[in-house]
């Protein structure tokens, strides 16, 4: 054996063995505590999601309800006028004005879609339920008409005609309801 090999062997023998990793109780306790905390948090979140909702329904005074009804009726009128004006518009250059006709159609679709969105934003929780439900249904119907028209559905399509009839009936009912204010 060479001197170098003997020294390498001596070095291996002289060095103490690496300490064995001890199982530290703290290293096991911390993850267990974290697991228990997360399970408790999950249970609390689950309970909060399914607990009965007690007394969260706000009560509104007569003034609040009247003001909400007035605002919603004003929004219905604004949307009705905007949709009517844009849907019934004609191209400025007459029937041969292709670009003008496309612009008129685009404005009509915009009036339907934006009118529906605007109407949705004006439905106040204090508004009477029947008025709010009809306004919400009208808003949804207007947005559906606008979206399907944008997708190329013709006004002669039976489903589109049904949506348009529904919008007309809802508008008439809302105008009648709001004229009683």
């Amino acid at each position: 054996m060479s001197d170098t090999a003997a020294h390498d062997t001596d070095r291996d023998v002289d060095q103490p063995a690496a300490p064995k990793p001890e199982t530290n109780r703290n290293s096991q306790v911390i993850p267990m505590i974290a697991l228990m905390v997360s399970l408790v948090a999950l249970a609390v979140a689950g309970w909060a999601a399914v607990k009965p909702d007690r007394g969260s329904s706000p009560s509104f005074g007569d003034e609040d309800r009247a003001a909400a009804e007035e605002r919603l009726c004003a929004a219905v009128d604004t949307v009705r006028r905007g949709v009517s004006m844009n849907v019934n518009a004609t191209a400025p250059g007459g029937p041969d004005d292709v670009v003008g006709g496309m612009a008129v159609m685009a404005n009509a679709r915009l009036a339907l879609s934006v009118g529906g969105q605007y109407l949705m934003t004006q439905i106040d929780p204090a508004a009477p339920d029947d008025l709010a439900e009809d306004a919400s249904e009208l808003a949804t119907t207007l947005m559906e008409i606008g979206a399907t028209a944008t997708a190329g559905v013709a006004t002669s399509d039976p489903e589109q005609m049904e949506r348009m009839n529904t919008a007309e009936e809802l508008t008439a009912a809302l105008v009648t309801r709001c004229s009683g204010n």
Side-chain angles (χ1 to χ4, degrees), residues 8-180:
D8 287 343
T9 306
D10 291 340
R11 206 176 302 148
D12 289 342
V13 172
D14 292 340
Q15 290 183 353
K20 291 183 180 178
E22 294 180 24
T23 52
N24 186 347
R25 293 194 93 198
N26 286 342
S27 67
Q28 293 175 352
V29 171
I30 292 174
M32 290 302 290
I33 290 173
L35 177 63
M36 289 183 347
V37 168
S38 64
L39 288 174
V40 168
L42 183 61
V44 169
W47 174 79
V50 297
K51 74 176 181 153
D53 195 15
R54 295 186 191 138
S56 68
S57 159
S59 61
F60 300 102
D62 291 340
E63 286 182 19
D64 293 331
R65 285 190 291 277
E69 183 173 353
E70 186 176 326
R71 281 190 306 273
L72 186 51
C73 286
V76 167
D77 186 57
T78 298
V79 170
R80 180 193 59 77
R81 286 185 292 114
V83 167
S84 177
M85 181 176 67
N86 285 286
V87 168
N88 295 314
T90 57
D96 294 332
D97 183 4
V98 176
V99 174
M102 292 175 72
V104 167
M105 291 186 321
N107 279 342
R109 293 173 187 146
L110 191 61
L112 291 160
S113 298
V114 173
Q117 292 172 357
Y118 172 71
L119 194 53
M120 279 291 200
T121 66
Q122 299 305 302
I123 301 172
D124 189 301
D129 290 340
D130 62 329
L131 180 63
E133 288 169 13
D134 285 351
S136 177
E137 188 178 348
L138 175 61
T140 300
T141 303
L142 291 175
M143 289 187 286
E144 287 172 353
I145 294 169
T148 54
T150 301
V153 175
T155 56
S156 59
D157 178 84
E159 290 179 9
Q160 187 74 323
M161 289 174 67
E162 184 178 329
R163 284 187 282 271
M164 292 186 313
N165 288 335
T166 299
E168 287 179 16
E169 291 168 6
L170 287 165
T171 300
L174 284 164
V175 167
T176 300
R177 167 75 163 78
C178 288
S179 65

